Amino acid sequence: MDYDVIVIGGGPAGLMAAAAAGRAGARVLLLEKGEKLGRKLVISGGGRCNVTNRKPLNELIQQIPGNGRFLYSALSQFGNEAIIRFFEGLGIRLKEEDDGRMFPATDRAVTVLNALLNHLRELGVTIRLKSPVERLLFDGERCTGVLLKSGEMIAAPAVVVAVGGQSVPKTGSTGDGYAWAREAGHTITPLYPSAVPITLKEPWIRDQTLQGISLRDVALTLHDPRGKRITTQRGDIIFTHFGISGPCALRVSHYVSVTRLKLGEVELPLAIDLFPDQNQEALIQEILSQARSEPKKAVKSLLRRLLPDRMVPLVLDMAGLSGETTGAHLSRGGLTALARHLKAFPVTAIGTLPLSEAFVTGGGVSVKEIDPRTMASKKKAGLYFAGEVMDVHGHTGGYNITAAFATGHTAGTAAARAALENRPA
């Protein structure tokens, strides 16, 4: 069979690209090297598939620190509201949760995957599993198809590369697309882990003193080695045997990786504000009020009302206070030191877990060499990119899958239109 569009990769971007090309009237072949489609989709959103985020466009772009502005055109064509309408049109009922996150009402990612696969079948998309691509085929300045590792050559006037990055390699994202893009003349910007746990220097981290402790709704601020603030993110964190994880830490990890990419393997100061809704003076007054009402109670006992038990000795030690000091003997200087460390509990980032442990790949095919209106390569005609293979990435919370669906839809639609315009009568 002759194909108009070949889509490589059966993740969120590839599935949407195949659907969009099929809806545009193209004869589509979807190639997936693994045994199943949608492996990354079914683990997204904790297995519930956070299909998009309903934030207004400008706010949504702000949550995509990796070249989010490149997505303006794609999101104007197929943004979060269009994604919602698309899935509702497939019969999936969606629900909105905190911070604008959209999930299927079933709370099961497989609901989304099955609806997409049924849609592809209805559109007549040909799906071939266990069909790894060796390389792209070119004729001069045009991409003309693919060569499979089996030796089979498949021709098509348009090829969409949607094979993901190098994060979560168990889903099949092993960086295959970078070599193909280089062969086409594209620049691959340095890869780095994003949305990944942060590793910390402190000896009490290695001693697992706080391992397993969760902190709800804190503010985490990252500084450069000179003390200049890089970013502040708010949310939950959890201490691990190597550092910190949780949604807030995953957002900050992007900036840890980017800063160390620029400056080398430097140590980066972090400060955890345990009470972001109170200023330091209000916190002092709260502790002072408790101390005055129970003047004989030891300060370590007063602090246990504010902190997890295992954090109390650390905070007291940082503030230079004895835990046995009673409320009556707690000085103004001691109170100030205590409040200062509750508002800026210091830790030191020495990196992150590796890219293989990250949820998202930073870096990839340079967006300077891709047309943002069509996702078409500026190097080779007939070649398109979609999803995480490009140097586009966001925070967790539905932003990456929104980027995948938007770029997939844009690439699939544009590839189909270009192929159909050139199809012999």
Side-chain angles (χ1 to χ4, degrees):
M1 178 179 176
D2 292 331
Y3 297 104
D4 300 306
V5 177
I6 296 172
V7 178
I8 313 172
L15 291 169
M16 187 59 80
R23 285 160 78 106
R27 297 166 300 194
V28 183
L29 171 63
L30 175 59
L31 296 172
E32 165 58 42
K33 71 177 181 180
E35 297 179 351
K36 294 179 179 179
L37 294 169
R39 285 180 291 175
K40 204 162 191 177
L41 189 147
V42 296
I43 65 170
S44 66
R48 297 195 297 139
C49 191
N50 184 181
V51 294
T52 191
N53 190 294
R54 209 161 200 169
K55 277 190 171 70
L57 179 59
N58 284 338
E59 290 183 38
L60 195 148
I61 292 290
Q62 289 172 10
Q63 297 299 320
I64 305 176
N67 293 311
R69 288 170 55 173
F70 170 78
L71 297 175
Y72 268 113
S73 181
L75 288 169
S76 68
Q77 297 175 54
F78 193 71
N80 49 7
E81 293 299 328
I83 292 169
I84 291 168
R85 289 193 298 272
F86 173 84
F87 283 110
E88 288 179 340
L90 298 186
I92 299 175
R93 193 161 55 89
L94 300 175
K95 60 178 179 176
E96 183 173 348
E97 295 190 1
D98 61 293
D99 207 33
R101 298 179 303 154
M102 301 297 295
F103 291 91
T106 61
D107 282 328
R108 298 176 70 231
V110 71
T111 304
V112 177
L113 177 60
N114 288 341
L116 271 171
L117 296 183
N118 288 336
H119 189 51
L120 294 181
R121 293 186 192 101
E122 290 168 358
L123 292 168
V125 171
T126 302
I127 297 170
R128 288 181 58 174
L129 303 177
K130 295 188 284 188
S131 299
V133 171
E134 177 68 29
R135 62 183 178 87
L136 306 181
L137 299 175
F138 302 102
D139 182 3
E141 298 306 304
R142 174 169 288 280
C143 183
T144 58
V146 302
L147 173 68
L148 301 186
K149 288 188 182 294
S150 65
E152 180 184 358
M153 297 173 66
I154 308 174
V159 175
V160 179
V161 175
V163 292
Q166 283 189 329
S167 56
V168 202
K170 66 181 180 182
T171 63
S173 296
T174 51
D176 301 342
Y178 303 132
W180 307 337
R182 282 194 190 96
E183 192 177 353
H186 281 275
T187 303
I188 308 302
T189 63
L191 306 180
Y192 57 88
S194 189
V196 64
I198 298 170
T199 54
L200 300 180
K201 177 183 180 180
E202 280 63 33
W204 46 264
I205 287 290
R206 293 194 300 274
D207 295 343
Q208 302 178 20
T209 302
L210 300 186
Q211 183 176 354
I213 287 179
S214 295
L215 300 176
R216 301 296 303 274
D217 195 22
V218 299
L220 184 61
T221 299
L222 177 71
H223 300 89
D224 71 12
R226 295 182 178 181
K228 181 181 178 182
R229 188 184 75 86
I230 296 172
T231 188
T232 299
Q233 300 290 330
R234 188 160 168 174
D236 302 345
I237 66 172
I238 183 169
F239 288 98
T240 69
H241 64 286
F242 53 77
I244 49 173
S245 189
C248 187
L250 296 184
R251 287 197 294 275
V252 171
S253 71
H254 162 81
Y255 304 96
V256 172
S257 289
V258 168
T259 304
R260 284 168 59 87
L261 204 62
K262 291 178 182 175
L263 303 180
E265 295 185 359
V266 294
E267 296 179 355
L268 299 171
L270 281 163
I272 305 170
D273 184 348
L274 299 160
F275 299 94
D277 290 327
Q278 286 180 275
N279 62 32
Q280 185 170 303
E281 183 57 34
L283 200 52
I284 288 172
Q285 292 303 318
E286 181 179 340
I287 299 169
L288 183 60
S289 174
Q290 290 186 22
R292 284 174 174 168
S293 65
E294 299 179 271
K296 295 182 180 180
K297 191 171 282 281
V299 67
K300 65 181 180 183
S301 298
L302 295 175
L303 276 185
R304 287 191 183 113
R305 298 174 183 175
L306 299 174
L307 298 172
D309 284 359
R310 282 183 280 154
M311 285 194 76
V312 171
L314 283 174
V315 172
L316 287 169
D317 184 57
M318 291 173 182
L321 290 172
S322 165
E324 303 304 324
T325 302
T326 62
H329 293 90
L330 191 56
S331 67
R332 175 72 189 195
L335 268 170
T336 301
L338 200 55
R340 187 169 66 248
H341 285 89
L342 292 174
K343 290 291 292 177
F345 182 82
V347 291
T348 308
I350 53 173
T352 69
L353 290 189
L355 183 50
S356 60
E357 300 292 325
F359 288 104
V360 179
T361 303
V365 181
S366 173
V367 297
K368 295 177 182 178
E369 300 164 356
I370 299 170
D371 186 336
R373 298 164 300 175
T374 60
M375 300 297 130
S377 165
K378 294 180 180 179
K379 301 291 184 177
K380 298 287 185 184
L383 176 60
Y384 301 79
F385 296 96
E388 202 177 335
V389 70
M390 298 185 291
D391 184 9
V392 175
H393 55 280
H395 296 315
T396 56
Y399 307 107
N400 288 293
I401 200 166
T402 298
F405 286 148
T407 57
H409 188 275
T410 300
T413 302
R417 286 175 179 165
L420 293 174
E421 283 174 7
N422 296 312
R423 184 195 283 179

